[in-house]
Amino acid sequence: MTRIFLIGYMGAGKTTLGKALARALGVPFIDLDWYIEERFHKSIPQLFAERGEEGFRTLERNMLHEAGEFEDVVISTGGGTPCFFDNMDYMNAQGATVFLDVPTDVLFRRLQGATQQRPILQGKTDDELRTFIGQALAGRLPHYTRARYRLDGSRLESRAQIAESVGRLRELLSI
């Protein structure tokens, strides 16, 4: 049985790598944010606005536990998922956890054009965005580094780089 959880900051490439890895392994891929949106027929920002962060994080935990029961699956989590409740302990007990480690400057470049799609980033200048990413990442690293495996996620810009990263990840996980 294969159950792989990809964790890391927003823009780390969890969905990009997760889809490619799942395709290579012939297993389903679940993006936890998409899973939540499908189940509740609302966007993540809507759920956040309605329930507040605490309510959303409880919902997210419940959906993680639901999806984490599936077998032979690759799951990409939200960037904050590992930082709340017992989520890291749960994921480590349920399968292989992989932290996609991406430097702040790469995350900044990837997220620079996505500020409209990500409410938490809206209205930030480039300097504010870079500072925000650096501070948020530093605060989350103690959770992310509890993953069993760590993979450099900075090379996911082309199909060739994605394929190379899938190969490195399969080697790392011995699958």
Side-chain angles (χ1 to χ4, degrees):
M1 177 183 56
T2 304
R3 192 179 291 122
I4 301 164
F5 297 91
L6 300 178
I7 68 169
Y9 197 69
M10 70 175 114
K14 301 178 297 287
T15 299
T16 299
L17 185 61
K19 284 180 179 178
L21 177 63
R23 194 168 35 255
L25 297 176
V27 301
F29 168 73
I30 296 173
D31 177 295
L32 190 60
D33 284 347
W34 297 348
Y35 186 77
I36 293 168
E37 290 178 343
E38 285 294 313
R39 284 290 305 276
F40 291 88
H41 306 287
K42 294 181 181 179
S43 71
I44 298 299
Q46 285 175 311
L47 290 166
F48 237 94
E50 288 175 7
R51 296 169 182 248
E53 182 169 20
E54 187 177 333
F56 172 76
R57 294 300 178 186
T58 299
L59 172 74
E60 180 183 54
R61 177 185 182 270
N62 293 340
M63 294 299 96
L64 173 67
H65 281 244
E66 184 176 297
E69 295 299 315
F70 300 152
E71 296 182 2
D72 297 320
V73 66
V74 175
I75 300 172
S76 71
T77 68
T81 307
C83 308
F84 295 90
F85 304 109
D86 63 344
N87 292 348
M88 273 310 300
D89 292 332
Y90 176 78
M91 289 186 285
N92 278 326
Q94 289 296 103
T97 49
V98 181
F99 166 39
L100 289 188
D101 192 4
V102 181
T104 301
D105 61 321
V106 175
L107 292 171
F108 169 75
R109 186 173 36 78
R110 289 180 184 170
L111 293 171
Q112 201 173 12
T115 56
Q116 295 311 309
Q117 297 92 331
R118 300 180 186 261
I120 198 167
L121 305 179
Q122 285 181 348
K124 291 188 177 10
T125 66
D126 283 354
D127 286 341
E128 290 169 338
L129 181 61
R130 188 183 302 274
T131 300
F132 177 82
I133 292 167
Q135 289 174 346
L137 184 58
R140 290 179 175 186
L141 275 175
H143 302 282
Y144 292 165
T145 56
R146 291 184 56 214
R148 287 218 174 87
Y149 303 95
R150 189 180 207 148
L151 182 76
D152 176 10
S154 61
R155 293 183 40 84
L156 296 171
E157 310 304 322
S158 67
R159 287 184 188 186
Q161 288 179 355
I162 294 166
E164 178 186 308
S165 293
V166 166
R168 286 196 326 265
L169 185 51
R170 289 186 75 170
E171 194 175 292
L172 188 67
L173 299 175
S174 301
I175 52 174

